[in-house]
Amino acid sequence: MKLYLKNPVVLMLFCLMAGMFMTVSFLETPTKFQVEGITLSTALGLGKLMFGISTKIQGLLLALILIFMYISRKSYTQTDCIMISVLVFILILEQFWMLPVLDARVDSISSGLLLPDTPLHDYFIYAETAKAVALVLAIILQFKTHPNEY
């Protein structure tokens, strides 16, 4: 079975986004807490910085993906649109709700305040996991079996 690409630029952007996102979320984040001598305040500050930058880059990549999907819109199905909508929705939730609240907690903890646990951190982990699954599915959906398949 021969596979065809809907749009190679969209595939490249999805792969770039997935690689960057998964490196920050699933490799850098847990690893920094393993570094000998790093303080909790420093690790949290680094996480705040990295997730802020990562989310902005993901937003830029999703905007570019949407532009290139629009250019070759005849190649995309309703499933593709649902997948990109899920990614945009998760990113908006993170950027405008979860990260600002978690960033404020980082600032409070770094200034020495003891705060009660919050389920928001767990929700953020669930959102990141859902985003990883959606990205993998979006990458798979970039392939089709027939050159004229829409």
Side-chain angles (χ1 to χ4, degrees), residues 5 7 9 15 21 24 29 31 36 50 61-62 72 85 100 107 111 119 126 145:
L5 284 176
N7 184 325
V9 175
C15 289
F21 155 72
V24 170
T29 299
T31 304
E36 191 174 318
M50 290 302 297
L61 291 172
L62 277 178
S72 56
S85 297
D107 294 340
S111 68
Y126 302 148
T145 55

Side-chain angles (χ1 to χ4, degrees), residues 40 44 104-118:
L40 177 62
L44 291 174
R105 286 183 59 83
V106 165
D107 294 340
S108 297
I109 291 169
S110 294
S111 68
L113 292 176
L114 293 175
L115 299 176
D117 287 343
T118 177

Side-chain angles (χ1 to χ4, degrees), residues 45-116:
L46 181 59
K48 177 181 168 181
L49 177 68
M50 290 302 297
F51 278 107
I53 293 169
S54 174
T55 303
K56 286 174 180 60
I57 293 170
Q58 289 172 57
L60 173 66
L61 291 172
L62 277 178
L64 290 171
I65 288 167
L66 284 168
I67 289 167
F68 283 100
M69 283 178 75
Y70 181 77
I71 290 169
S72 56
R73 62 187 169 273
K74 290 183 180 180
S75 297
Y76 291 97
T77 65
Q78 185 177 7
T79 305
D80 293 301
C81 294
I82 290 169
M83 207 48 52
I84 194 82
S85 297
V86 167
L87 288 166
V88 168
F89 177 73
I90 293 170
L91 198 61
I92 287 171
L93 277 180
E94 290 178 345
Q95 181 71 37
F96 297 106
W97 171 50
M98 294 179 174
L99 285 176
V101 173
L102 291 171
D103 288 350
R105 286 183 59 83
V106 165
D107 294 340
S108 297
I109 291 169
S110 294
S111 68
L113 292 176
L114 293 175
L115 299 176

